[in-house]
Amino acid sequence: MIYVSNHGGRQLDHGRGAMEVLPEIVAAVGGRVPVIVDGGFNRGTDIVKALAAGADLVGLGRMQCIGLAAGGSAALVRLLEILETEIQICLGLLGVNTWAELDPSYLHPAPPVSTGATLGSFPLLTLEEQSFY
Ligand SMILES: Cc1cc2nc3c(=O)[nH]c(=O)nc-3n(C[C@H](O)[C@H](O)[C@H](O)COP(=O)(O)O)c2cc1C
């Protein structure tokens, strides 16, 4: 198995994100072994994107910590249920019945519509302050 991760972005600041390097690693692996990816997967649609890009598995770090902190194991289970529902809705809206039907043709680059802050490196800074960095 190949594990694609930048360790949650904490090892090498400003390094490339796991999703950015995933396609080239999937191409190099060529299906010989499963590929797992982690880093910044916070919504069901994020997970769908990773599988469309060729990952076989997605790892979750901070999201599970947030669930546990919010309400222990029951909240963690609820968090995973919400992710599952988001995935089902996304696949349904894409018209996809199985994971195998997903491929990179479902992905299209798009500029961010807002600056991520809540789970970002500097969540307490204003947009103006963030643009300084
Ligand atoms: C509480 C916590 C501790 C972690 N400790 C380490 C660590 O010691 N070494 C490491 O390489 N990555 C560590 N990570 C990063 C995870 O292995 C994983 O790559 C990352 O959490 C995935 O990104 P995500 O948190 O956005 O889902 C840690 C993550 C969390 C949430």
Side-chain angles (χ1 to χ4, degrees):
M1 176 178 290
I2 299 290
Y3 203 124
V4 183
S5 175
N6 67 358
H7 313 273
R10 55 181 280 284
Q11 304 287 50
L12 179 60
D13 201 9
H14 302 285
R16 295 175 71 195
M19 266 302 281
E20 186 185 344
V21 300
L22 178 64
E24 58 199 77
I25 294 174
V26 166
V29 170
R32 286 171 289 176
V33 293
V35 175
I36 182 170
V37 64
D38 76 17
F41 293 93
N42 300 328
R43 304 167 69 177
T45 45
D46 295 337
I47 295 168
V48 172
K49 290 176 199 172
L51 270 75
D56 297 289
L57 292 165
V58 171
L60 303 173
R62 272 164 289 203
M63 282 296 282
Q64 306 210 58
C65 296
I66 291 169
L68 283 171
S73 59
L76 172 57
V77 169
R78 183 69 192 119
L79 181 153
L80 295 171
E81 288 172 348
I82 291 169
L83 282 177
E84 185 178 26
T85 300
E86 290 175 349
I87 289 169
Q88 289 171 344
I89 291 171
C90 180
L91 295 182
L93 290 171
L94 289 174
V96 168
N97 292 310
T98 66
W99 288 118
E101 292 175 51
L102 283 179
D103 63 42
S105 70
Y106 286 91
L107 300 172
H108 300 278
V113 293
S114 65
T115 304
T118 306
L119 296 174
S121 302
F122 307 103
L124 299 180
L125 298 182
T126 65
L127 282 178
E128 293 72 27
E129 288 167 329
Q130 287 185 51
S131 66
F132 174 78
Y133 297 94

